[in-house]
Amino acid sequence: QVQLVESGGGLVQAGGSLRLSCAASTRTFRTYVMGWIRQAPGKEREFVAAISWIGGSTKYADSAKGRFTISRDIAANTLYLQMNSLKPEDTAVYYCAACSTLGCDTLDAWGQGTLVTVSS
């Protein structure tokens, strides 16, 4: 089973930027859609963005469109999420996930998460 390790979270002021990374332990995840999911304190898990590893098709939540960019480095087996114009409501634990669909309705694997805190 693929293992995923996120990094890049931290504390940032509103309007700032962060780039999250997700390293995968195996190349078998190339058959997956890879995505980012987040969960804020006291709230349900929320889809953020996803990308098909081979074709590069992407999908974003409305809250992420125009501000976040998902990408992958195939050779490095690494997934990224560039987050710009961050808002306090983006504060959450962000998880990298291997998904069955572009909407990440079903998660096949996920990492331990990385905390993003956006101060106002």
Side-chain angles (χ1 to χ4, degrees):
Q1 184 176 355
V2 62
Q3 293 183 328
L4 305 170
V5 179
E6 303 95 335
S7 62
L11 174 63
V12 64
Q13 289 188 331
S17 299
L18 282 175
R19 187 175 82 154
L20 306 183
S21 299
C22 172
S25 62
T26 172
R27 295 170 62 180
T28 59
F29 74 92
R30 292 184 176 188
T31 62
Y32 287 105
V33 168
M34 297 298 298
W36 291 95
I37 309 296
R38 69 186 183 186
Q39 187 164 22
K43 294 188 176 181
E44 296 290 321
R45 186 176 68 191
E46 177 186 21
F47 168 77
V48 177
I51 186 167
S52 61
W53 197 257
I54 301 301
S57 298
T58 58
K59 181 175 181 177
Y60 293 91
D62 287 343
S63 59
K65 288 178 181 176
R67 299 188 301 127
F68 295 0
T69 302
I70 190 170
S71 63
R72 83 279 196 227
D73 183 329
I74 295 175
N77 288 352
T78 303
L79 179 73
Y80 301 102
L81 184 69
Q82 177 67 43
M83 304 187 295
N84 299 328
S85 302
L86 283 161
K87 305 174 182 180
E89 51 263 44
D90 294 318
T91 295
V93 176
Y94 284 70
Y95 298 91
C96 170
C99 310
S100 297
T101 66
L102 203 56
C104 288
D105 298 319
T106 303
L107 306 184
D108 297 304
W110 54 92
Q112 84 289 348
T114 186
L115 176 62
V116 172
T117 304
V118 184
S119 63
S120 58

